[in-house]
């Protein structure tokens, strides 16, 4: 029997003006997962973290993608997955994507990598479907590809890696619950054309800023006139965090995924740490429990750390 | 008395998914303009092309920007502008922008270039205001900067040059009238969020494709789900032109500005010429007079070709 152990990174989706299309992988935090190949069909999921799991693997974010993968393989094998989750579910930094992508990359590795990265994204999307009801790829794609990824289109799937200069990421997770499905429901189905134009000006600027290593342009383009004004109402302290972090030197940032985590990008470590201090001070004053991370963009995506032949 | 002669290029605005934010300058066609510095206040516009001109220079696309420039200068001088227009007004390839930008660049040159490119865009926008009622910069900016330019924001003005690989541009101008103001009025003020998301995925892909020299990505991203489905109804043969030109090898394209011109991008000259043949065949069959151009992206913008001290 073969088993692999992997690290599956947290990710920031809905990168400000890049709602639904732009995400990035983080070096911290990450889940650790162990996947074993079984000689009989089926998927077994075990969690080491104490979070309750759906009994049916088809309803589990790591299980559903493996069921799809096995269906496509058409071989009498199965997988056992042991999850040591470090990325808290509901934090808005891609907890479900880490489970889905991690399971798929590990299983593919055990099989000798018959599937492409794009195939793996396709399978992992079934995990997002289970988690939030929507097949959104802006956590899954950076989790598998690493770096910053653009999902130009989801049908057909078109993933583009966006090179970027070195950036530091500060994340604060205030301990309140924002459900992805709720965060989707409060969005308006229609937007003003003039706002949409402003948004696509910003996303064009952000991509150009990343590819051209232009920090100023990145900062100017980190503006979301459509989603953030609505969703930020669900996150206590959001406006103050954003304003004070920019005063502290951050290039800019916004809601991570559908929240409640907030992320900020900085040009150097000292600024990213100052931003962390700022975030902590605000949530301490508000009286809200919180976790923070100061990290960098993960360039590799899911990482195989051990492959044992038992 | 000083005079300069300049070439002011045609431009393609509303670059497919880049409505209102992305434009490019063309090497062909261009207007020729002569601007003289006068020792007394005022602006005089003379046209050599037989097109009727507003008697009041404040209502002329070349005059209005110069009046703004003179107001900012606060000197007892004036300008005379002689326009030899080659870019037909109403063609959708930036005729008004060429007049406005050409006048401003020439005047600035006569003064010893006291104004920056951004200043010149700011003045030239008054010409667009006169022409169409709206200060849109996606013709003006590429006309002054050259190349492909992103107008990330118009208030405040934020112009970003987007590098791109060598591209050939084929333009067809079917001889029908589409007024910019009419073309604006038929647009819906609201768009579906899901369409807006698809559009900003495409604009992000297009910018990434340009900067990364990725022709395939450029081609895949040349899709407009918001403006083109509405405006293309004003242009006879549009759908057929687009489909057949892509069959002929074009990467993609769409409406130039607010039409009626249609442009297509190709990777090489032979394809761009084949695209021209395709366009001509369609409009000949439809029985609509038309002009075509096969050209490249103008990298310089308005060009000083002569500076004489009289």
């Amino acid at each position: 029997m073969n088993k692999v152990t992997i690290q599956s990174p947290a990710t920031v989706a809905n990168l400000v003006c890049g709602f639904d299309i732009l995400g990035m992988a983080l070096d911290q935090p990450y889940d650790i997962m162990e996947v074993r190949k079984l000689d009989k069909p089926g998927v077994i999921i075990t969690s080491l973290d104490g979070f309750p799991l759906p009994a049916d693997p088809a309803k589990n974010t790591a299980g559903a993608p493996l069921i799809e993968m096995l269906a496509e393989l058409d071989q009498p094998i199965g997988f056992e997955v042991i999850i040591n989750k470090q990325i808290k579910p509901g934090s808005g930094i891609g907890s479900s994507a880490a489970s889905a992508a991690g399971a798929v990359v590990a299983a593919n590795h055990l099989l000798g990598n018959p599937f492409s990265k794009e195939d793996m994204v396709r399978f992992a999307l079934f995990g997002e479907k289970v988690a939030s009801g929507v097949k959104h790829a802006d956590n899954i794609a950076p989790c598998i590809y690493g770096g910053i990824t653009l999902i130009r289109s989801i049908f057909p799937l078109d993933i583009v890696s966006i090179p970027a200069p070195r950036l530091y990421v500060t994340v604060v997770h205030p301990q309140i619950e924002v459900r992805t499905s709720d965060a989707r429901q409060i969005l308006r189905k229609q937007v003003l054309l003039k706002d949409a134009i402003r948004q696509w000006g910003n996303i064009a600027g952000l991509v150009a800023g990343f590819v051209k290593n232009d920090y100023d342009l990145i900062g100017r383009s980190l503006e979301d006139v459509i989603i953030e004004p609505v969703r930020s109402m669900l996150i206590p302290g959001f406006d103050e965090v954003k304003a004070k972090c920019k005063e502290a030197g951050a290039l800019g940032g916004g809601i991570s995924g559908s929240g409640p985590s907030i992320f900020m990008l900085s040009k150097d470590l000292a600024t990213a740490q100052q931003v962390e201090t700022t975030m902590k001070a605000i949530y301490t004053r508000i009286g809200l429990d919180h976790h923070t991370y100061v990290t960098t963009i993960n360039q590799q995506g899911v990482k195989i750390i051990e492959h044992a032949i038992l």
Side-chain angles (χ1 to χ4, degrees), chain A:
Chain A
M1 191 180 66
N2 273 331
K3 73 164 190 175
V4 294
T5 309
I6 58 104
Q7 289 179 354
S8 192
T11 44
V12 171
N14 297 337
L15 216 58
V16 192
C17 45
F19 178 71
D20 255 11
I21 64 157
L22 204 65
M24 67 179 171
L26 302 180
D27 280 316
Q28 296 281 342
Y30 52 80
D31 289 347
I32 295 182
M33 298 169 74
E34 193 183 293
V35 179
R36 295 164 187 246
K37 189 177 154 193
L38 306 177
D39 294 330
K40 55 181 184 181
V43 173
I44 303 163
I45 312 280
T46 311
S47 171
L48 298 181
D49 49 35
F51 294 111
L53 272 182
D56 180 358
K59 291 181 179 159
N60 178 277
T61 52
L66 293 182
I67 290 169
E68 291 295 323
M69 184 190 257
L70 287 168
E72 203 150 308
L73 265 180
D74 200 20
Q75 289 174 23
I77 58 164
F79 295 107
E80 181 181 2
V81 182
I82 299 162
I83 304 177
N84 187 349
K85 186 157 275 303
Q86 304 299 315
I87 310 166
K88 205 173 163 187
S91 54
I93 50 172
S95 179
S96 57
S99 295
V104 165
V105 173
N108 193 41
H109 188 82
L110 281 170
L111 298 170
N113 294 310
F115 295 110
S116 69
K117 284 184 176 179
E118 200 176 295
D119 289 332
M120 291 193 280
V121 170
R122 205 161 33 82
F123 296 134
L125 283 173
F126 285 90
E128 292 294 45
K129 185 95 197 289
V130 164
S132 73
V134 180
K135 279 189 176 181
H136 71 101
D138 49 342
N139 291 107
I140 293 289
C143 199
I144 289 176
Y145 284 70
I148 299 175
T149 60
L150 162 67
I151 298 89
R152 189 195 65 81
S153 155
I154 196 151
F155 304 110
L157 193 58
D158 188 0
I159 296 163
V160 181
S161 286
I162 304 291
R166 186 155 187 85
L167 286 164
Y168 292 82
V169 189
T170 313
V171 177
V172 61
H173 173 209
Q175 309 277 304
I176 53 159
E177 194 184 352
V178 175
R179 286 176 50 171
T180 305
S181 51
D182 292 347
R184 287 218 163 238
Q185 273 165 13
I186 63 165
L187 296 179
R188 296 186 195 93
K189 290 214 165 44
Q190 300 220 21
V191 298
L192 289 173
L193 176 59
K194 74 176 179 59
D195 289 340
I197 292 168
R198 185 153 188 102
Q199 193 90 343
W200 64 62
N202 280 319
I203 187 70
L206 187 59
V207 169
F210 284 146
V211 183
K212 292 171 79 177
N213 291 345
D214 183 336
Y215 287 105
D216 280 349
L217 179 55
I218 292 169
R220 296 198 303 277
S221 305
L222 285 169
E223 178 189 65
D224 171 7
V225 297
I226 292 183
I227 310 300
E228 184 182 291
V230 181
R231 284 194 171 168
S232 62
M233 294 185 290
L234 301 176
I235 306 171
F238 178 84
D239 290 343
E240 186 183 355
V241 167
K242 195 175 153 191
K244 292 270 173 67
C245 289
K246 286 172 87 166
E247 276 171 32
L251 294 168
I255 302 168
S256 176
S258 54
S261 287
I262 304 169
F263 79 99
M264 288 283 149
L265 298 179
S266 298
K267 217 168 144 172
D268 55 68
L269 179 60
T271 306
Q273 287 168 334
Q274 185 56 44
V275 166
E276 182 187 36
T277 304
T278 304
M279 291 167 163
K280 279 176 174 293
I282 293 168
Y283 282 113
T284 301
R285 202 202 64 231
I286 292 176
L288 204 52
D289 280 346
H290 55 276
H291 284 300
T292 54
Y293 303 94
V294 175
T295 185
T296 40
I297 298 176
N298 174 322
Q299 298 300 337
Q300 186 178 359
V302 179
K303 184 177 166 187
I304 311 289
I305 53 174
E306 196 189 359
H307 184 174
I309 301 183
L310 306 179

